[in-house]
């Protein structure tokens, strides 16, 4: 989803890097809502969600054309 948003021009890679702390908090909030009340299962959902976000940022840097990267 992150790659598609960057390719469509909805959000820039710089903006995704800027909102990184909010994504971490959001991942843990979503994990707290959808998992049983134990820390291990919460971590098992939140960490992969955050890693997928980071991989999406890296992959969108590879698929975005060079001239689109330079536009703020």
């Amino acid at each position: 989803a992150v790659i598609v948003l960057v390719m469509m021009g909805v959000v820039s890679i710089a903006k995704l890097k800027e909102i990184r702390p909010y994504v971490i908090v959001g991942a843990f909030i979503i994990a707290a809502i959808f998992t049983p009340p134990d820390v291990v299962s919460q971590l098992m959902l939140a960490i992969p969600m955050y890693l997928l976000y980071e991989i999406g940022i890296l992959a969108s840097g590879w698929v975005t054309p060079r001239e689109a990267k330079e536009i703020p």
Side-chain angles (χ1 to χ4, degrees), residues 14-63:
K15 188 65 173 178
L16 290 172
K17 290 179 181 178
E18 183 181 318
I19 64 168
R20 185 178 284 145
Y22 301 108
V23 172
I24 294 171
V25 172
F28 277 96
I29 289 173
I30 290 171
I33 291 171
F34 289 111
T35 59
D38 95 69
V39 177
V40 175
S41 61
Q42 183 179 355
L43 288 173
M44 288 175 57
L45 181 61
I47 291 173
M49 284 191 336
Y50 177 68
L51 290 176
L52 284 172
Y53 178 76
E54 289 294 330
I55 291 169
I57 292 174
L58 288 173
S60 62
W62 291 328
V63 298

